[in-house]
Amino acid sequence: EEQLVESGGGSVQPGGSLRLSCAASGFRIRNYAMSWVRQAPGKGLEWVSTITAAGDTYYDTSVKGRFTISRDNAKNTLYLQLDSLEIEDTAMYYCAKPAVVITSPGSYQYPTRGQGTQVTVSS
């Protein structure tokens, strides 16, 4: 069974940083494109970033230059470094194994998705 478990969320002030982790089991993340997505209160699911099996990375324009996606193949763990956080980044963050390789915003299917970790940015 494929599982994803996120951790690392929390409450920070604007300008702060967090590092989200996503431990995968049941499959090897190095063989797939993996994404981070988020859902703000009252809004739909929003794609944030993707790392492909080849290691190419893609970001939504709202987070480019502030967030960094990476993975540790030995630990089978996906990461998202969040820097220069803004109030608008407040959301539940999920790691996901999408049905297709996502490189831009849109409506997508995520057959495997974790339970999420909450990020709250407030002053």
Side-chain angles (χ1 to χ4, degrees):
E1 180 187 4
E2 296 183 349
Q3 282 193 323
L4 298 168
V5 179
E6 301 94 336
S7 61
S11 295
V12 297
Q13 293 184 336
S17 297
L18 286 171
R19 188 194 195 202
L20 308 184
S21 299
C22 171
S25 60
F27 70 103
R28 304 301 299 182
I29 63 171
R30 67 183 178 210
N31 295 326
Y32 298 91
M34 296 293 296
S35 295
W36 285 96
V37 299
R38 66 186 180 184
Q39 187 166 24
K43 296 188 176 181
L45 209 57
E46 176 188 27
W47 170 76
V48 174
S49 180
T50 293
I51 183 167
T52 69
D56 298 320
T57 58
Y58 300 88
Y59 300 92
D60 182 77
T61 53
S62 65
V63 307
K64 195 170 186 179
R66 301 188 297 119
F67 292 6
T68 305
I69 191 171
S70 63
R71 68 180 182 227
D72 185 324
N73 292 334
K75 294 182 179 180
N76 208 31
T77 299
L78 183 72
Y79 300 100
L80 187 68
Q81 177 69 37
L82 289 64
D83 296 317
S84 302
L85 280 161
E86 303 171 352
I87 292 176
E88 293 75 20
D89 295 318
T90 295
M92 185 71 80
Y93 284 71
Y94 303 89
C95 69
K97 181 187 169 193
V100 297
V101 179
I102 302 170
T103 62
S104 62
S107 180
Y108 301 101
Q109 298 295 317
Y110 301 97
T112 303
R113 196 176 85 187
Q115 84 290 345
T117 186
Q118 178 68 38
V119 172
T120 301
V121 185
S122 67
S123 55

